[in-house]
Amino acid sequence: MESQLSDVLSTNVLSLTLGIDNLSDPGNSQSTNIGDAPASLYYGSLTSQYRTLSVPIIRHVEIASLYRLVRTFAQCHSAYESIDAEQRNHPVVAYETFLTYWAQWRLVDGANVLERALVWAQEKGRDTKSHGIFTLLRIALGKTKVFTTGNFTQARDGMREVRRWLKDVEFDKYTDIQLSQQACLSLIEACKHPGSVEPAWAVEGAVRSMLAQSYRRAGDFEAAEKETNLALNLLKTAPVPIYQNRAHLTVWLDQMKATKYPNCRESFAAWIEFSEREPVKTDSMMLSNASGKIADAALEILQASPSFENKAIFWEWELRNESLLEQSGDVYFLYMSKLFTGQIALSLFDELGAVLRWQEEFHGRYPDFHLWALLVAGKRTLAQVYLRLEQQDQVIKTFSEISEILRQRDDFWTEDADEGGQYAPQNVSNLDPVGQNSTTSEEMPAFKAENLREEWFSEWVNTAQISFGKEFKDFSVALSPQLARGVDPYMTTLLRWLKAAVNDGTIKGTEFECIIMNSEAGRDVQGHDDAVEAIQELVPSILRVHLYGPDSQLVSSARWASIFRLLQDWLLHRAGYNETKRHVLLGRLQTERLDSLIPTPRNSEILQEAERMLDLVPTLCEEAQQQFKGATMNWRNIACLAKKQLQAQQNPEAIWNEELPEFREVLDMYKVSLKESRDMGSLPNEAATLLSMAQHYYYGALLLRPNAVAAFIEYLDASDTVYNKSRES
């Protein structure tokens, strides 16, 4: 196998032997120094460290790195196995081997390689604690451990180390090792570091594939097909035998993901066909992607046509997907998958015991799993089960466990803050603008209880209305505000207020009918008495379905506009509750409508709802406006992205041609957000907006349009500068 590439790599290896000084490494008498040889001659990621390797080992690493780029992993591992067993633990060889496993999504194997290399180095007396290549190995190991164990500790420690190392290093002075740790090995490196290690056929092939999928999503299938063929032809030029070149798999996968199928059954069939292609069967990352998509399509089929047959098909593919995740060692996505299927078991099949069982089994197998956001989501699913089982003691116990998880999270990042890090703890209540314990010093004016009809947002905290079967009860929740969110406080409060308004006639029967019509759970309402009877049957979760629709079939823009007009008139002008509460609740309801659309391709509606939110905020009272302070920039940036997608559908050139008015229109919107963030004095928001502006020029820069490249670098540098100021402060 290596002989087939000898001619291809002979120039590279020869360059290593010309004008080379011996390296002062007592453990390697054959080591060499590549001097100033351009990195672009090589396929490996850490060419600056080739001076610590012998020429034969470099040759094997180069062969393996080339085959990694074309996804022919059997040849990669064959090349590494040709290296002496002890030298495979050399940090350069180990890191390149890890990259191969990472590309395959064989996470446990990759982590094992890094751990063996670190142990080997310590046994050889190397200074593994100094900044350099061992730092790279440690942060790569920490990143992998997040997936394989669900634990952030090593990743956090690696981030600390990199932060200390790079604190005073200018970006233009980064080495290839430092770039690897900053994950900047794509366009940034190509623009600012001429010694890019990725060959032109790989870079341009990837860019062409990305452009093809942008055209495909925009509906320009002719342009998409042209770019796809260009990408495939470029990848075919890789200097390996054609029968060993599988680089086209990435183009296939991109193409599949960008294709909009007419219905879920066609999507299901297409992904099955993809998974059965011979090259896909032996590529674990590709197969895992396909398996997840098949399970998603099977779920859509089940939701559209519930039956025992469709249920069996869904579980077959979902369990197959989970098996692949376990084989790869991907505990992170395994938990997400189990959490998702647990919610399906709860909502579609009423299988309460299954949810309890998988939680117990998972934590028994992975006791070190401590990804807080996922754990909290899992605990909230458990709380739903216990509520359905009427086990109130378990509900309280579960919410107490959530409180402990959040405390552990804050303590974890507090340790980082003590190290001078940027990951200072966040008060959980700050994540939601209506927490009782929200910060009042800067983000919100102080409120005095005597000025409010009730304690500040007490209704979000003290009680929640919970459904026990068909019976509807008030349930006392003696919890902190952030934990009360687990019982949907906004829908709970809205339902309580709606009941009172229907009972006293503030909301007419016809108005209430507007809220509950045209949904699967809707019914006809005739007059006041019928409205009173209908609302008594509602619970918060069903009210949410009436307002927004189920996830699989969100309500139309026209329907939401009717609902919103009614709620806006009632909450702003007619309801008798505290003004700030009413106004904040209206803003939250509109925010949740926007949030429900973001995962969907309904860009026209996303743009419409983001603009509605931006128009709404100035009409709210001053206290309520303070609650949404800082979020308007995010909504405007969401509107920018939606507008870009819509423009691309009309004219795909609008996403990369900076001279078009459509391109400038979106840029002007970003400039408004930039001014807003600067007026607020918010460095994180300013850095984020500058980064979005850089991304706006991304596709043009990929095409090496001079103005786009210059603007991309300008905004990227500005974002980095502001970010560093934020970190220093």
Side-chain angles (χ1 to χ4, degrees), residues 364-420:
R365 292 187 61 185
Y366 304 103
D368 292 331
F369 189 86
H370 288 105
L371 299 181
W372 307 284
L374 294 184
L375 287 178
V376 168
K379 291 295 183 183
R380 284 178 174 163
T381 300
L382 277 182
Q384 293 177 42
V385 174
Y386 291 132
L387 286 169
R388 297 272 288 276
L389 295 173
E390 301 190 40
Q391 296 181 9
Q392 297 190 18
D393 291 344
Q394 288 294 333
V395 174
I396 296 298
K397 178 176 180 293
T398 302
F399 279 125
S400 297
E401 291 169 350
I402 292 176
S403 182
E404 175 60 18
I405 291 168
L406 295 175
R407 185 197 64 77
Q408 291 175 4
R409 181 202 64 182
D410 287 349
D411 288 349
F412 183 88
W413 293 117
T414 298
E415 296 172 17
D416 188 68
D418 292 341
E419 290 276 328

Side-chain angles (χ1 to χ4, degrees), residues 33-45:
N33 189 342
I34 65 173
D36 296 324
S40 57
L41 291 175
Y42 309 106
Y43 299 108
S45 301

Side-chain angles (χ1 to χ4, degrees), residues 210-445:
M210 292 169 63
L211 282 174
Q213 305 336 312
S214 296
Y215 283 130
R216 191 176 302 280
R217 293 188 181 95
D220 190 343
F221 300 109
E222 182 178 350
E225 191 67 20
K226 178 183 176 181
E227 293 295 340
T228 295
N229 290 332
L230 285 171
L232 291 171
N233 289 333
L234 282 162
L235 295 174
K236 286 178 183 177
T237 65
V240 298
I242 191 65
Y243 66 90
Q244 291 177 342
N245 187 341
R246 295 184 173 181
H248 58 275
L249 285 177
T250 55
V251 180
W252 285 2
L253 183 63
D254 288 345
Q255 193 173 18
M256 290 289 295
K257 288 182 174 179
T259 300
K260 297 177 181 178
Y261 297 98
N263 55 64
C264 51
R265 292 189 182 276
E266 290 197 27
S267 173
F268 181 74
W271 279 105
I272 288 181
E273 186 276 329
F274 177 79
S275 71
E276 293 174 346
R277 298 177 189 178
E278 286 302 321
V280 174
K281 289 181 180 179
T282 56
D283 190 314
S284 53
M285 192 276 283
M286 294 286 166
L287 193 58
S288 183
N289 266 274
S291 180
K293 292 293 186 180
I294 294 169
D296 291 344
L299 175 60
E300 290 185 42
I301 293 172
L302 176 60
Q303 290 175 321
S305 305
S307 69
F308 287 112
E309 179 184 2
N310 288 339
K311 177 180 176 182
I313 292 172
F314 165 70
W315 283 117
E316 175 190 351
W317 284 101
E318 182 58 37
L319 293 175
R320 188 180 302 188
N321 182 47
E322 291 181 6
S323 176
L324 288 172
L325 292 172
E326 287 187 273
Q327 291 173 29
S328 69
D330 188 350
V331 177
Y332 176 90
F333 280 104
L334 178 63
Y335 188 90
M336 290 184 66
S337 179
K338 286 187 173 291
L339 177 63
F340 172 71
T341 54
Q343 292 170 341
I344 297 301
L346 194 63
S347 61
L348 290 184
F349 312 131
D350 212 30
E351 295 175 355
L352 307 184
V355 179
L356 299 175
R357 185 170 61 253
W358 81 253
Q359 287 263 8
E360 181 179 352
E361 291 175 352
F362 182 91
H363 292 293
R365 292 187 61 185
Y366 304 103
D368 292 331
F369 189 86
H370 288 105
L371 299 181
W372 307 284
L374 294 184
L375 287 178
V376 168
K379 291 295 183 183
R380 284 178 174 163
T381 300
L382 277 182
Q384 293 177 42
V385 174
Y386 291 132
L387 286 169
R388 297 272 288 276
L389 295 173
E390 301 190 40
Q391 296 181 9
Q392 297 190 18
D393 291 344
Q394 288 294 333
V395 174
I396 296 298
K397 178 176 180 293
T398 302
F399 279 125
S400 297
E401 291 169 350
I402 292 176
S403 182
E404 175 60 18
I405 291 168
L406 295 175
R407 185 197 64 77
Q408 291 175 4
R409 181 202 64 182
D410 287 349
D411 288 349
F412 183 88
W413 293 117
T414 298
E415 296 172 17
D416 188 68
D418 292 341
E419 290 276 328
Q422 71 199 60
Y423 301 97
Q426 285 186 311
N427 187 319
V428 178
S429 61
N430 289 345
L431 302 179
D432 190 300
V434 294
Q436 185 185 33
N437 298 324
S438 295
T439 302
T440 60
S441 58
E442 296 179 0
E443 298 181 4
M444 184 180 72

Side-chain angles (χ1 to χ4, degrees), residues 45-46 48-49 95 98-99 128-143 154-155 157-166 169 171 174-185 189 423:
S45 301
L46 303 177
S48 70
Q49 300 298 301
Y95 183 72
F98 159 75
L99 290 181
T128 61
K129 298 299 182 183
S130 62
H131 295 322
I133 193 167
F134 293 111
T135 307
L136 175 59
L137 263 60
R138 278 189 290 275
I139 197 167
L141 179 60
K143 175 178 69 173
Q154 286 181 271
D157 294 345
M159 285 190 290
R160 287 177 178 172
E161 185 176 355
V162 172
R163 189 169 56 224
R164 289 193 293 266
W165 184 20
L166 302 183
V169 180
F171 184 78
Y174 278 13
T175 66
D176 51 5
I177 294 175
Q178 293 168 329
L179 279 169
S180 296
Q181 292 170 106
Q182 290 296 85
C184 292
L185 285 173
E189 183 180 8
Y423 301 97

